[in-house]
Amino acid sequence: MPFNRFAYISFDVVPAPKGAATHIMAFTKAIAEQLGNVDLVTIASPQNTKPLQIHPHVKQTTLPAQGKYLIDRVLYFQRMLLQWQQSQLNNNIQYDVVQIRSIFEGFPLVKNKQKLYRKLVFEVNGLPSVELKYRYSKVAEDRDLLYKLQQQENICLNAANLIVTPSHTTKNYLQNIREVKTEIRVIPNGVDTNIFTYQKLPFMPKNRVDLLYFGTLASWQGVHLAIEALALVNREIPATLSIIGLGRDCQITQLYKLTRKLKIDHLVTIQQPLLQSELVPRIHQSDIVLAPLTANDRNLVQGCCPLKILETMATGTPIIASDLPVVRELGLNNQHFVLVKPGSAKAIKDGVLHLVHNPLLAQTMSINARQQIEDNYTWQQAGNSLIQSYQTLSNTCQLI
């Protein structure tokens, strides 16, 4: 019996200038185009942004998540989600598949199933028990909280009929460390190549090297290393650094403090996230993009699939990234990107000079990177893989 009614529920704001929102919209569109009607349930934007018309078969419902602190917002959202769930039940609505992205929306759904859905897909991009300490440092010291988070994660993981994750590193973590028995499918992130267009590199470098970092300003992203590398590069050649990303006031303050300490504040600009249509020209205008992911449990053990690396590869602008397993899954060193020692500003500096002094290598890498994206990492391919997983779930699982 084929599936034809779906819900995609996520404790995320959509639309938003974040990779999560891009991912959600791509997967929701794929389900709607190929399988049936989708109810997309997300957080209401604080700016009251109107929901996008993702697809004629997608109906988006936004629920408020009010509160000063994360836990307040989670609890508020969960109350609203339970009300939405009861409304669906009152209208005799049952979903063939519900897809979730975290325990924040998943735990109340699993706990109060009540015939709302037949099958559950858990899309694991990250787990709070691993990631929250990078935003709230005291979480790492609160063993009771970590235990509760892990227990809720285990409940959702074991309740899922299928787990989808974007990297083999994450799959290995779930299987070997968390001992998850549910089937796990690896579906990497993708790129919309119509938005992230390719631009051929000039043959000769400029007198000044313009570096770019884009993405969140979380500590595990290593933005501070990009700033430290800029100071080292400027000892040998003129360079600037543009930082475009979402960060808390304290994170931005710390980055500016570092630029002043290194006496390069006049060479660094930090600005809020841009729409993709505005970001792409900035990538094209840059000589090199930096993705200095740090070597920590979030990146090394749990894993991820760095969207910024894929998007940069699609544009043809050379990228220097940390040499981590999650990055090596995406391509080859000196063929698709330059990989450098994690946590080393000097290694990033050496990578920049390596590209500046080898423009033909940069050009070849640019062409190879774009081809790698077209061959393996488009949202169309990711969506097709998700649909195949749904169809396998429909064919092999007996519906309740």
Side-chain angles (χ1 to χ4, degrees):
M1 178 180 176
F3 297 151
N4 54 39
R5 185 163 195 140
F6 309 88
Y8 196 142
I9 305 174
S10 180
F11 185 74
D12 286 285
V13 176
V14 177
K18 293 178 64 177
T22 300
H23 191 124
I24 291 165
M25 289 189 291
F27 272 10
T28 303
K29 182 179 179 181
I31 298 168
E33 283 183 344
Q34 301 191 48
L35 294 180
N37 295 316
V38 183
D39 283 337
L40 174 62
V41 182
T42 61
I43 298 177
S45 170
Q47 290 77 33
N48 296 316
T49 303
K50 292 183 179 180
L52 290 177
Q53 183 59 50
I54 298 173
H55 189 275
H57 292 160
V58 175
K59 175 186 176 183
Q60 184 175 4
T61 299
T62 57
L63 303 178
Q66 299 177 4
K68 182 177 180 181
Y69 301 105
L70 175 63
I71 187 63
D72 299 321
R73 296 192 292 274
V74 169
L75 293 175
Y76 196 100
F77 180 81
Q78 288 180 341
R79 289 196 296 271
M80 296 299 100
L81 184 58
L82 290 174
Q83 291 182 18
W84 172 85
Q85 175 179 296
Q86 189 58 53
S87 173
Q88 302 303 91
L89 292 172
N90 291 342
N91 290 312
N92 296 316
I93 293 175
Q94 184 184 50
Y95 296 99
D96 293 310
V97 180
V98 168
Q99 183 158 329
I100 60 172
R101 286 175 55 90
S102 77
I103 61 171
F104 299 142
E105 71 276 0
F107 186 66
L109 289 171
V110 171
K111 188 177 178 182
N112 301 280
K113 182 177 178 181
Q114 298 177 342
K115 298 187 180 301
L116 178 70
Y117 59 88
R118 294 174 174 179
K119 298 298 173 185
L120 180 70
V121 175
F122 189 178
E123 182 188 332
V124 180
N125 295 278
L127 295 169
S129 63
V130 176
E131 298 207 342
L132 277 183
K133 61 179 175 287
Y134 294 105
R135 184 171 181 181
Y136 305 100
S137 58
K138 291 184 178 180
V139 168
E141 305 168 6
D142 193 332
R143 293 186 178 182
D144 289 338
L145 175 59
L146 287 174
Y147 177 78
K148 291 177 181 178
L149 290 172
Q150 289 173 349
Q151 289 300 106
Q152 290 192 17
E153 290 165 358
N154 289 338
I155 289 171
C156 292
L157 289 167
N158 291 324
N161 300 99
L162 175 68
I163 295 172
V164 172
T165 189
S167 78
H168 290 280
T169 301
T170 307
K171 179 179 179 178
N172 292 337
Y173 168 73
L174 294 175
Q175 288 181 327
N176 300 328
I177 298 179
R178 301 300 288 267
E179 298 183 344
V180 173
K181 304 302 181 184
T182 307
E183 181 185 2
I184 303 173
R185 296 284 185 92
V186 175
I187 303 178
N189 285 331
V191 181
D192 186 338
T193 52
N194 292 319
I195 296 176
F196 288 87
T197 54
Y198 178 77
Q199 180 171 291
K200 186 177 180 180
L201 289 182
F203 179 73
M204 294 297 291
K206 301 180 299 184
N207 293 328
R208 184 188 72 191
V209 180
D210 293 321
L211 306 175
L212 172 67
Y213 168 89
F214 67 92
T216 63
L217 307 186
S219 60
W220 50 264
Q221 295 275 17
V223 190
H224 63 286
L225 294 167
I227 294 174
E228 292 171 3
L230 176 69
L232 297 177
V233 171
N234 267 278
R235 294 178 182 177
E236 304 195 34
I237 58 174
T240 66
L241 172 64
S242 297
I243 299 172
I244 302 173
L246 184 65
R248 290 174 289 158
D249 290 342
C250 61
Q251 292 171 325
I252 296 173
T253 298
Q254 286 300 314
L255 293 178
Y256 274 127
K257 184 178 180 180
L258 179 59
T259 65
R260 290 192 294 271
K261 177 182 176 181
L262 297 174
K263 298 181 180 180
I264 55 171
D265 47 302
H266 61 294
L267 301 174
V268 179
T269 60
I270 303 176
Q271 67 180 101
Q272 292 296 307
L274 299 175
L275 298 174
Q276 290 182 336
S277 59
E278 299 170 326
L279 176 62
V280 173
R282 294 294 299 275
I283 299 175
H284 286 156
Q285 293 162 11
S286 303
D287 297 305
I288 300 170
V289 173
L290 305 179
L293 295 166
T294 57
N296 52 45
D297 61 348
R298 192 270 178 189
N299 295 327
L300 282 175
V301 181
Q302 173 195 257
C304 59
C305 183
L307 190 54
K308 66 168 63 63
I309 293 178
L310 295 176
E311 290 174 343
T312 302
M313 289 168 63
T315 66
T317 299
I319 183 166
I320 297 172
S322 298
D323 189 2
L324 301 175
V326 291
V327 180
R328 290 198 295 270
E329 287 187 36
L330 307 179
L332 299 174
N333 185 28
N334 285 326
Q335 183 169 331
H336 303 110
F337 34 54
V338 171
L339 299 183
V340 298
K341 179 182 177 181
S344 172
K346 179 183 180 300
I348 297 172
K349 180 265 294 184
D350 291 342
V352 170
L353 297 179
H354 177 57
L355 285 173
V356 169
H357 297 316
N358 294 276
L360 289 178
L361 170 65
Q363 285 184 320
T364 301
M365 220 168 53
S366 169
I367 296 169
N368 291 341
R370 174 67 181 200
Q371 193 63 52
Q372 176 80 336
I373 296 302
E374 291 180 352
D375 290 346
N376 301 293
Y377 296 105
T378 67
W379 280 122
Q380 182 68 42
Q381 291 162 319
N384 289 342
S385 295
L386 180 66
I387 300 309
Q388 291 172 7
S389 299
Y390 270 39
Q391 291 170 338
T392 301
L393 190 64
S394 174
N395 294 334
T396 60
C397 295
Q398 180 67 38
L399 296 183
I400 298 173

